[in-house]
Amino acid sequence: MGRKYGPGPLTPPERVEVSGKHIKLRFILMILCLVLGIAGIGYGISSALSQDPGWMQIQADNSVPVQASADLDFEYCLGQNATAEAKLVTAIYTKAVQRTYQVYHPTERFSGVGNLCAVNKAPNRELTVEPELYRAFEAFHAHNNRALFLAPVYAQYDAVFRSTSDEEAAFYDPMLNAEASDYVRALMEFISDPEAISLSLLGENRVRLNVRSDYLKFAEEYGIEAFLDFYWMKNAFVLDDLADRLVQEGHVTGYIASSEGFCRYLDPTRTEYTLELMDRRDGTVYYPARLHFHGPMSLVSLHAYGPGGGTGDYFYQTADGTVRTPYLDTRDGTCKAALQDLSVFSETCSCSELLLSACPAFIAEKWEPEAVLALRGQSIHSVWCENQTVFHTELPAKLVVQNQSYSDQLLPS
């Protein structure tokens, strides 16, 4: 038997007579209701836009491309004048994010900006770049790090990371596909040779990308768009630039982190921050200990695996657990990670300095603790796990082991 919903069939309404009396009064009441309605809407909008004191995630506004800040997380503690402060900090952050997006873009030009793309499009020609880009070039040069020149190899691995199946990933993977392997091998003959490609720093933000004619011909043949790219390392420099801008503007009660494991804690107050240390063993991630510390602090946490489940990061894991990472050896272009997890941090160094200092130890065939122990002279502190032991140098933080199956050991003991 069917079920009937509702009160039954509609009946014609009764005829309603509208009186012409009290028209003026009704008009006044209508205006009053309209005013009250507008006031209510205004109050609702005001309430939605107002902010209470305390922690808030600051996001760049819609004037900035989504991808410019998609990998960034800016958390800020607002003071008593929270609404005005949130508006001001958002404006500063938006402008700074827009700037870094344009400066470090490897393949797109922007009017009036001497960015990375400008360098890529002008091989063997002198040009002036933005000051922050020049400083980044200087940092790579000071560490004798040629990862910038891996741009076309990064592009090859990027296809692996964005694959949606093991079959697709294997097609692009230089470690599985002979054609891809031959291509990367040919690239590395150029990239590993300073005579084939180099970057001259000429002072006063002037640079020249030197590319030999045979590499130029190879690049044209294979449609290579960029000779230089920061790729997975970019956000270390972005965070430093954003942090510098916020500090200059006097807005420091917060921190900025990126999905790659980089973080700048700006807060000079006694606010305590906590870092969960990770240790991946046999395919399982454990959280053996925590670090409790106060800012300002720069942090770089490197992991030889990704979060999993997505195609937008810098990792690909096959069904059998094999992982491809962006940590490429600048000598042969292959993925290497000497440890599953390494965290380095400093009260005085920037994220980019930490990253470039830690890379030789982490991107290696074999883990050699001496390489990070040597960084203590630069006020760089290190912590990592081996055999269910949390090894660390002397730390400007409190280490709390929370997994009873782990112990900790200070080096040198």
Side-chain angles (χ1 to χ4, degrees):
M1 181 178 178
R3 179 172 294 179
K4 184 179 178 182
Y5 292 92
L10 293 175
T11 58
E14 297 180 2
R15 185 176 180 183
V16 179
E17 295 284 348
V18 179
S19 170
K21 297 179 181 180
H22 308 299
I23 292 177
K24 184 175 181 180
L25 177 60
R26 288 201 299 270
F27 180 75
I28 292 172
L29 290 173
M30 181 184 72
I31 295 298
L32 180 59
C33 289
L34 181 62
V35 170
L36 289 173
I38 293 173
I41 293 172
Y43 176 78
I45 293 174
S46 176
S47 298
L49 294 178
S50 65
Q51 298 294 336
D52 295 325
W55 285 98
M56 173 190 177
Q57 183 183 46
I58 303 292
Q59 296 179 317
D61 65 31
N62 293 333
S63 67
V64 177
V66 173
Q67 60 269 33
S69 59
D71 297 325
L72 307 179
D73 179 22
F74 180 22
E75 302 289 338
Y76 196 81
C77 189
L78 300 169
Q80 291 303 310
N81 194 11
T83 301
E85 186 179 18
K87 183 177 180 180
L88 179 58
V89 174
T90 297
I92 294 170
Y93 180 66
T94 296
K95 187 175 181 180
V97 165
Q98 178 83 289
R99 169 85 177 168
T100 57
Y101 175 73
Q102 294 180 351
V103 167
Y104 295 103
H105 205 296
T107 57
E108 185 177 352
R109 292 294 306 271
F110 300 93
S111 178
V113 180
N115 72 345
L116 186 60
C117 179
V119 181
N120 279 320
K121 298 298 183 184
N124 301 312
R125 301 207 306 268
E126 181 182 320
L127 71 160
T128 300
V129 298
E130 301 306 316
E132 53 266 58
L133 182 59
Y134 192 86
R135 289 194 296 270
F137 288 158
E138 287 182 315
F140 275 90
H141 180 76
H143 286 84
N144 195 29
N145 188 312
R146 289 181 60 82
L148 276 175
F149 302 111
L150 288 169
V153 185
Y154 284 143
Q156 182 66 32
Y157 276 95
D158 194 66
V160 177
F161 303 146
R162 295 181 183 276
S163 296
T164 56
S165 68
D166 287 1
E167 292 75 18
E168 182 184 359
F171 176 79
Y172 294 111
D173 192 342
M175 302 178 77
L176 296 176
N177 182 293
E179 186 176 351
S181 177
D182 291 343
Y183 172 64
V184 169
R185 188 179 299 111
L187 276 171
M188 292 309 301
E189 290 183 4
F190 296 115
I191 293 170
S192 61
D193 182 2
E195 295 296 321
I197 183 168
S198 63
L199 184 65
S200 297
L201 304 179
L202 307 173
E204 298 180 341
N205 301 324
R206 293 176 297 111
V207 303
R208 184 178 62 249
L209 174 62
N210 310 298
V211 186
R212 203 167 59 198
S213 59
D214 54 346
Y215 189 14
L216 285 173
K217 183 179 179 180
F218 182 92
E220 183 179 2
E221 180 181 353
Y222 284 92
I224 292 172
E225 293 186 323
F227 294 100
L228 304 176
D229 193 357
F230 290 80
Y231 197 49
W232 70 276
M233 307 171 91
K234 180 193 70 174
N235 277 335
F237 295 87
V238 167
L239 259 60
D240 288 340
D241 293 346
L242 296 177
D244 288 347
R245 177 64 189 278
L246 289 163
V247 170
Q248 289 170 7
E249 297 288 345
H251 299 287
V252 295
T253 56
Y255 65 88
I256 313 175
S258 75
S259 60
E260 296 84 5
F262 313 140
C263 193
R264 284 289 301 266
Y265 299 90
L266 311 176
D267 196 349
T269 69
R270 298 302 296 172
T271 300
E272 183 177 89
Y273 297 97
T274 300
L275 171 66
E276 292 272 4
L277 297 177
M278 301 167 67
D279 179 31
R280 189 172 189 254
R281 293 186 287 113
D282 302 323
T284 300
V285 176
Y286 297 88
Y287 298 88
R290 291 178 177 177
L291 285 177
H292 300 276
F293 58 91
H294 306 283
M297 189 83 71
S298 297
L299 166 73
V300 168
S301 289
L302 299 174
H303 308 286
Y305 51 93
T311 57
D313 57 33
Y314 299 105
F315 302 85
Y316 186 87
Q317 180 170 316
T318 63
D320 67 3
T322 302
V323 180
R324 294 289 182 258
T325 77
Y327 310 127
L328 305 185
D329 192 319
T330 55
R331 294 168 296 182
D332 59 17
T334 59
C335 303
K336 291 179 183 175
L339 268 182
Q340 287 294 295
D341 304 272
L342 171 66
S343 292
V344 291
F345 52 104
S346 175
E347 296 171 295
T348 57
C349 295
S350 65
C351 275
S352 53
E353 289 174 316
L354 287 177
L355 179 60
L356 291 171
S357 297
C359 274
F362 190 78
I363 306 176
E365 290 279 3
K366 181 182 178 182
W367 174 243
E368 297 180 352
E370 295 77 16
V372 291
L373 294 178
L375 300 177
R376 290 172 300 173
Q378 303 172 43
S379 298
I380 295 176
H381 315 279
S382 309
V383 57
W384 68 93
C385 295
E386 288 183 278
N387 302 320
Q388 294 180 250
T389 300
V390 182
F391 291 96
H392 60 93
T393 60
E394 188 173 350
L395 304 174
K398 181 182 179 182
L399 175 68
V400 178
V401 176
Q402 59 191 17
N403 188 320
Q404 294 182 354
S405 65
Y406 283 76
S407 61
D408 71 289
Q409 182 175 338
L410 173 65
L411 295 176
S413 57

